[in-house]
Amino acid sequence: MSGNGNAAAKAEENSPKMRVIRVGTRKSQLARIQTDSVVATLKALYPGLQFEIIAMSTTGDKILDTALSKIGEKSLFTKELEHALEKNEVDLVVHSLKDLPTVLPPGFTIGAICKRETPYDAVVFHPKFVGKTLETLPEKSVVGTSSLRRAAQLQRKFPHLEFKSIRGNLNTRLRKLDELQEFSAIILAAAGLQRMGWQNRVGQILHPEECMYAVGQGALAVEVRAKDQDILDLVCVLHDPETLLRCIAERAFLRHLEGGCSVPVAVHTAMKDGQLYLTGGVWSLDGSDSMQETMQATIHVPAQHEDGPEDDPQLVGITARNIPREAQLAAENLGISLATLLLNKGAKNILDIARQLNDAH
């Protein structure tokens, strides 16, 4: 074969068409379903690429006898996946955005936030209580949740109920609900139940006046190496502008409060007529003390466009060069402003006490 022929063969070998993109995910059924949906979108956009899914267990999947808030590790469901990214064993990782801390380890960034599904929480009832609501459950009924945020808000709203930690993936939690006589109901993210095709188990959807949701809940995030421009370019088309801006505001609020899963912090966002509304709240562990406020900012949901390169394009761990920077900064400032307002009104005291009590128990 001539030199030119060799070069052509080599070029074909190295062309993007031959490239295999390795996608990291947790092993749970829900994580696989979420990853499969992102990969299906990427395959449709890039039919010439191949995708290989690599599943692994994380610390959070292995430690099932301890409440999440007690483990004291911010990257419970992400550390092993990030380790694989760092070692170049995978090219991108699909997460539930709410599992990703607001400050990522150096060298990583969120390269895409996909269109959000419902961010609300859902109540699944034990078969003998189907048709009930939290309000109509018998006195002292036990409700399972692994979240301090849910327990604090719902204890305040439904003082006749008792709340107890329940761990495990969705399948495990539903099995515990159905087979043990311990729980009358459990609280789960509605989006997860939808993705699993288990909408028929949803007995009640909790709206923000009953229970505000976790930062980033209902949205999927694609984490990549911050300097891997090829992969960043590949995944940035997945950004949903409205979801992105709402989640930047939510994450900036949480980061400025220095909240995490060891304190009850919740949000609600809405985009309407060029205004981004952010409601944020903090609660004591038992829900008896709370504080919440709403602020808004003018932000136009942009059509995607290409920005020039920037020194530090990340905001709250997210890189979105194809969404106007001005809109992203306005969303971040809204989150910071709301957190500052709550801190000035005494939220730090509520959070500090919640943290101390959680550490002590």
Side-chain angles (χ1 to χ4, degrees):
M1 192 185 270
S2 70
N4 280 349
N6 272 335
K10 195 122 188 82
E12 173 64 23
E13 221 174 273
N14 293 330
S15 75
K17 283 191 178 352
M18 303 298 289
R19 185 160 181 200
V20 176
I21 306 295
R22 298 151 308 161
V23 183
T25 178
R26 286 167 63 194
K27 278 184 173 168
S28 77
Q29 188 185 353
L30 176 60
R32 290 301 305 260
I33 287 171
Q34 292 178 166
T35 302
D36 287 347
S37 74
V38 170
V39 168
T41 307
L42 288 170
K43 275 182 175 168
L45 289 164
Y46 304 106
L49 291 178
Q50 284 182 287
F51 293 86
E52 179 190 351
I53 295 174
I54 297 167
M56 54 196 88
S57 293
T58 65
T59 307
D61 296 313
K62 293 168 190 163
I63 305 175
L64 292 175
D65 55 353
T66 310
L68 291 178
S69 57
K70 302 273 188 248
I71 302 170
E73 166 64 69
K74 273 190 177 166
S75 51
L76 274 180
F77 295 110
T78 59
K79 194 197 272 178
E80 285 79 0
L81 295 162
E82 283 171 342
H83 194 49
L85 255 185
E86 189 174 33
K87 294 198 302 189
N88 223 354
E89 292 169 355
V90 296
D91 301 300
L92 56 103
V93 175
V94 179
H95 301 281
S96 292
L97 179 59
K98 69 174 182 175
D99 289 339
L100 281 169
T102 53
V103 179
L104 296 185
F108 302 108
T109 189
I110 297 166
I113 295 180
C114 306
K115 188 172 175 60
R116 187 179 222 164
E117 293 193 41
T118 174
Y120 301 128
D121 288 316
V123 189
V124 179
F125 292 91
H126 186 281
K128 71 179 178 200
F129 291 119
V130 167
K132 295 271 190 197
T133 64
L134 289 181
E135 203 160 357
T136 59
L137 277 177
E139 190 84 19
K140 300 232 176 305
S141 292
V142 176
V143 177
T145 173
S146 57
S147 154
L148 294 179
R149 167 190 63 79
R150 291 170 181 148
Q153 291 181 81
L154 294 172
Q155 261 175 291
R156 184 184 177 94
K157 192 89 180 163
F158 305 104
H160 70 293
L161 301 176
E162 292 181 2
F163 293 85
K164 191 174 168 191
S165 177
I166 183 169
R167 289 288 321 281
N169 61 37
L170 278 189
N171 311 56
T172 305
R173 282 188 246 180
L174 282 172
R175 193 169 63 248
K176 285 180 181 176
L177 171 68
D178 292 343
E179 293 177 8
L180 308 176
Q181 298 305 309
E182 192 176 352
F183 300 101
S184 302
I186 58 175
I187 317 290
L188 300 165
L193 288 163
Q194 269 183 17
R195 290 179 186 128
M196 295 284 275
W198 292 342
Q199 295 92 322
N200 64 323
R201 291 301 310 262
V202 175
Q204 184 180 359
I205 292 286
L206 297 173
H207 292 289
E209 54 279 7
E210 295 163 310
C211 188
M212 291 202 293
Y213 43 82
V215 165
Q217 185 160 311
L220 298 181
V222 180
E223 188 179 19
V224 302
R225 290 178 290 274
K227 292 198 166 19
D228 193 341
Q229 199 53 54
D230 279 358
I231 298 291
L232 269 168
D233 291 343
L234 184 87
V235 301
C236 74
V237 292
L238 299 173
H239 271 307
D240 177 66
E242 181 177 317
T243 303
L244 170 82
L245 295 170
R246 286 171 62 188
C247 290
I248 284 176
E250 293 172 16
R251 285 171 66 82
F253 171 72
L254 182 64
R255 179 152 93 180
H256 201 66
L257 280 178
E258 294 181 352
C261 64
S262 63
V263 287
V265 174
V267 293
H268 171 61
T269 47
M271 189 81 83
K272 198 176 173 198
D273 302 328
Q275 296 289 308
L276 176 56
Y277 297 85
L278 170 63
T279 302
V282 301
W283 285 261
S284 58
L285 289 189
D286 64 0
S288 59
D289 204 358
S290 76
M291 186 179 290
Q292 63 185 70
E293 291 288 346
T294 302
M295 290 180 86
Q296 67 192 81
T298 302
I299 298 178
H300 295 292
V301 178
Q304 296 199 4
H305 79 211
E306 289 299 325
D307 264 357
E310 310 200 24
D311 290 340
D312 181 16
Q314 284 200 46
L315 291 181
V316 284
I318 300 162
T319 301
R321 285 203 175 105
N322 54 333
I323 306 292
R325 183 81 172 165
E326 187 186 335
Q328 294 184 57
L329 287 168
E332 183 188 44
N333 287 336
L334 176 63
I336 292 169
S337 300
L338 184 63
T340 303
L341 175 65
L342 285 180
L343 289 169
N344 288 343
K345 292 179 78 170
K348 188 174 188 319
N349 191 39
I350 295 174
L351 292 174
D352 284 349
I353 292 169
R355 221 175 252 118
Q356 286 160 11
L357 282 173
N358 184 54
D359 291 346
H361 278 71

